[in-house]
Amino acid sequence: MAVLPLLLCLLPLAPASSPPQPAASSPCPRRCRCQTQSLPLSVLCPGAGLLFVPPSLDRRAAELRLADNFIAAVRRRDLANMTGLLHLSLSRNTIRHVAVGAFADLRALRALHLDGNRLTSLGEGQLRGLVNLRHLILSNNQLAALAAGALDDCAETLEDLDLSYNNLEQLPWEALGRLGNVNTLGLDHNLLASVPAGAFSRLHKLARLDMTSNRLTTIPPDPLFSRLPLLARPRGSPASALVLAFGGNPLHCNCELVWLRRLAREDDLEACASPPALGGRYFWAVGEEEFVCEPPVVTHRSPPLAVPAGRPAALRCRAVGDPEPRVRWVSPQGRLLGNSSRARAFPNGTLELLVTEPEDGGTFTCIAANAAGEATAAVELTVGPPPPPQLANSTSCDPPRDGEPDALTPPSAASASAKVADTVAPTDRGVQVTEHGATAALVQWPDQRPVPGIRMYQIQYNSSADDILVYRMIPADSRSFLLTDLASGRTYDLCVLAVYEDSATGLTATRPVGCARFSTEPALRPCAAPHAPFLGGTMIIALGGVIVASVLVFIFVLLLRYKVHGGQPPGKAKGAAPVSSVCSQTNGALGPVPSAPAPAPEPAAPRAHTVVQLDCEPWGPSHEPAGP
């Protein structure tokens, strides 16, 4: 019992237990300021001259500021294991590259500032892992491409997206439409030329949309704009109002912008760039009745075409209007035509049938439509039987006549029946093409003396494969004209007009004389002839063979003569007196030099002599020395 009071007396003297100490923090990077005494921890390195993200960062930091440095890239290991980071600022660096997964561990990050850098694109994996991101600032970069899945991980949490001052010509509008919680969307100072209809219809929390200084000529109607009042400035605006800014765009003020003109909105100095009558006027100062459109008018269509089965055919249709009309084609069976395995529809209004079939024949309808209405035009297509097969080695060697650009042949009954599918009878018997070849045609028309004051004739023509109309001015006393600039194998539509002076008005007028259609002959293939290099090589080989044969024959004749004379020189035959040659050295002297008779030669070894010039005289029998 005495022990217990003693223990109670000693208990106050025991040292009190110390609270748990925090783990040792990482050293603060050089030139940075670190707040590690209390939570949350922060690392502040603005304007520290850093070339890369410091490797000695405290991985427990909740705030990291690295703005105004010279960091050129963000690597995968730079921000690894920083799971508690809430705010990251990399503004105004020289970042060109962000590694895939560089932010993968920043699952708690709320704000990411990457503005004022040199990013040119943003891929799908570079923002991976930012599942709680609310503020993404990417302004003042060089972004030209934004991947469709770049914002997938933060699509449901993002509240502020700033893409201003970049080089964006296109945007993943479908991905932007999924940002259901976004309040502010900055798209200003880019290169956007169009916005699809309904691009913002699902952004129910959108409070500010900035599209100033782009290349927008029109803004399509959007259900979001019609539900909320539009204001230009946020001052005094209700919480439910949408602040919309679209100034600095080349707006085309026609009927397509009437919906925007009818909305209640403050003046923000937006101006019209076109049409010319409204150019330079403030958008909100233009009356609603001045926002007008012009219905489409078909200005050109292909003439009736006739092609053999299996060949391609191009149908053309041109239309004008305000806004520019869209051209569509309807087949003879009533089907709307588009791009398929057999047909291609081009934005300029051309429909190309790659391979025609007999059932393609009929009337095709061209429909040009815009916001003000539509216009239609019919194009007739005739598909004839396929052309007969041609032999691969067949050649044609019919030359054109002398003095003419092409061989002109008058149409005969046989040729007319053979070209039923290619040639249509002339629409006016007054103008006829009496002769035609591959590149030329002779046009004739009757006398127009009943028309007084004729100054000249005008010929207009174009081919089925060309939209360009060619004009020719002919003197008034002419009744025919030879066209020499035609293309082979094409169908031409030609009209002749009389240009005269109208006595009633005193003005120059035209009167059609008639029209005709004709087809030029296909181009003739020249006769096959040996190529020049082949002829040149053959001539060289033949000439060389002749030279070699001549040399061989000459050598053979010399050998034959030598053998016939028994190994003696040709001048000394058998039985004749011995002949020798007396040679003397002249060293360039003119004329022979007399020499004394030489004694009979004795057998001796031959000696080498240096001879400059030798004059040799035959030593006949009368000159032989006397015997011993």
Side-chain angles (χ1 to χ4, degrees):
M1 298 296 294
V3 177
L4 183 58
L6 180 61
L7 292 177
L8 293 175
C9 295
L10 294 177
L11 185 60
L13 299 178
S17 60
S18 60
Q21 298 292 332
S25 61
S26 300
C28 188
R30 186 180 179 184
R31 299 181 183 178
C32 297
R33 292 180 295 107
C34 299
Q35 174 61 39
T36 60
Q37 301 300 324
S38 61
L39 298 178
L41 306 180
S42 62
V43 180
L44 309 178
C45 307
L50 301 176
L51 300 179
F52 46 84
V53 178
S56 58
L57 291 175
D58 193 331
R59 302 294 161 172
R60 301 171 303 159
E63 182 181 13
L64 177 59
R65 296 184 182 272
L66 299 172
D68 300 302
N69 283 285
F70 303 98
I71 300 173
V74 181
R75 299 165 295 183
R76 176 65 181 88
R77 64 177 180 270
D78 288 342
L79 304 171
N81 300 323
M82 301 189 70
T83 56
L85 191 63
L86 300 177
H87 185 98
L88 173 61
S89 176
L90 291 165
S91 304
R92 297 177 298 280
N93 277 273
T94 59
I95 299 175
R96 295 178 180 270
H97 175 69
V98 175
V100 174
F103 308 119
D105 293 342
L106 311 183
R107 305 185 68 84
L109 191 68
R110 301 289 185 88
L112 174 60
H113 292 259
L114 280 168
D115 52 298
N117 283 282
R118 301 178 182 178
L119 296 173
T120 58
S121 63
L122 202 59
E124 295 187 357
Q126 291 174 290
L127 299 180
R128 188 175 60 205
L130 302 178
V131 294
N132 286 298
L133 190 65
R134 296 181 181 180
H135 306 280
L136 177 59
I137 312 301
L138 293 167
S139 59
N140 287 284
N141 275 276
Q142 301 171 9
L143 289 175
L146 184 65
L151 306 176
D152 283 353
D153 284 6
C154 55
E156 297 181 359
T157 60
L158 202 60
E159 298 177 358
D160 183 13
L161 176 60
D162 190 355
L163 295 171
S164 60
Y165 290 91
N166 279 287
N167 300 324
L168 294 169
E169 297 182 5
Q170 296 290 336
L171 281 175
W173 297 104
E174 182 64 27
L176 293 181
R178 295 196 298 267
L179 304 179
N181 289 314
V182 68
N183 295 321
T184 303
L185 181 58
L187 304 176
D188 55 291
H189 295 86
N190 277 283
L191 305 175
L192 301 174
S194 62
V195 176
F200 313 107
S201 58
R202 292 180 288 175
L203 306 183
H204 302 291
K205 296 184 179 181
L206 188 62
R208 181 176 181 83
L209 174 62
D210 194 347
M211 294 188 294
T212 59
S213 299
N214 277 277
R215 297 179 178 177
L216 299 174
T217 59
T218 185
I219 301 175
D222 196 287
L224 179 66
F225 301 155
S226 60
R227 288 197 304 265
L228 300 176
L230 299 182
L231 299 175
R233 302 179 181 87
R235 295 192 303 269
S237 60
S240 61
L242 171 63
V243 178
L244 174 63
F246 57 88
N249 286 283
L251 295 177
H252 183 65
C253 297
N254 61 1
C255 64
E256 290 184 314
L257 287 179
V258 172
W259 71 271
L260 185 58
R261 179 63 180 81
R262 293 175 178 174
L263 295 178
R265 188 176 182 276
E266 295 181 4
D267 184 10
D268 197 23
L269 302 183
E270 293 90 354
C272 297
S274 58
L278 302 178
R281 296 178 58 184
Y282 294 127
F283 181 84
W284 301 102
V286 178
E288 182 180 331
E289 68 280 358
E290 299 182 72
F291 287 80
V292 296
C293 290
E294 298 179 1
V297 176
V298 177
T299 59
H300 176 79
R301 58 174 175 172
S302 297
L305 299 179
V307 297
R311 297 286 181 86
L315 309 180
R316 293 177 171 83
C317 182
R318 302 288 186 271
V320 295
D322 183 17
E324 183 178 357
R326 178 187 176 188
V327 177
R328 295 173 297 171
W329 288 90
V330 177
S331 68
Q333 293 77 24
R335 298 192 305 268
L336 186 63
L337 299 176
N339 293 328
S340 63
S341 59
R342 293 186 56 245
R344 289 185 298 179
F346 296 92
N348 62 357
T350 299
L351 176 66
E352 182 177 359
L353 302 177
L354 303 179
V355 180
T356 56
E357 297 179 357
E359 56 268 20
D360 292 332
T363 302
F364 286 78
T365 304
C366 158
I367 303 176
N370 65 5
E374 65 179 32
T376 61
V379 176
E380 192 72 25
L381 176 64
T382 303
V383 181
Q390 297 181 355
L391 297 178
N393 297 328
S394 63
T395 59
S396 177
C397 304
D398 298 333
R401 301 175 185 175
D402 295 337
E404 295 185 2
D406 187 19
L408 302 181
T409 57
S412 60
S415 62
S417 61
K419 295 183 178 180
V420 171
D422 293 337
T423 306
V424 181
T427 59
D428 194 324
R429 295 295 179 180
V431 175
Q432 296 190 12
V433 180
T434 57
E435 298 180 359
H436 54 83
T439 60
L442 181 61
V443 184
Q444 294 181 341
W445 59 90
D447 188 7
Q448 300 294 312
R449 290 180 181 178
V451 180
I454 293 182
R455 295 184 175 182
M456 65 187 70
Y457 290 99
Q458 184 185 77
I459 296 180
Q460 304 176 1
Y461 62 94
N462 69 316
S463 69
S464 57
D466 194 353
D467 295 337
I468 301 176
L469 193 62
V470 184
Y471 297 87
R472 291 288 183 270
M473 308 306 295
I474 315 299
D477 56 351
S478 301
R479 300 295 177 269
S480 63
F481 186 75
L482 179 63
L483 301 175
T484 60
D485 57 351
L486 306 179
S488 60
R490 291 188 181 180
T491 300
Y492 283 85
D493 290 305
L494 179 144
C495 292
V496 178
L497 293 84
V499 182
Y500 68 98
E501 182 178 355
D502 190 354
S503 58
T505 62
L507 302 177
T508 302
T510 58
R511 176 180 178 180
V513 177
C515 298
R517 174 174 293 185
F518 64 94
S519 297
T520 55
E521 300 288 343
L524 301 178
R525 288 181 291 179
C527 295
H531 296 290
F534 174 78
L535 292 176
T538 304
M539 293 295 293
I540 292 175
I541 294 175
L543 184 60
V546 171
I547 294 174
V548 172
S550 301
V551 172
L552 293 178
V553 171
F554 179 73
I555 296 174
F556 177 76
V557 170
L558 289 180
L559 292 176
L560 183 63
R561 292 181 63 186
Y562 185 78
K563 290 183 179 181
V564 167
H565 294 287
Q568 298 294 330
K572 186 175 181 180
K574 291 182 180 182
V579 179
S580 63
S581 299
V582 178
C583 302
S584 61
Q585 179 176 345
T586 64
N587 290 332
L590 299 176
V593 178
S595 59
E602 297 180 359
R607 293 178 299 175
H609 297 278
T610 302
V611 179
V612 178
Q613 181 174 346
L614 298 180
D615 295 333
C616 301
E617 297 181 357
W619 186 265
S622 58
H623 297 85
E624 293 180 359

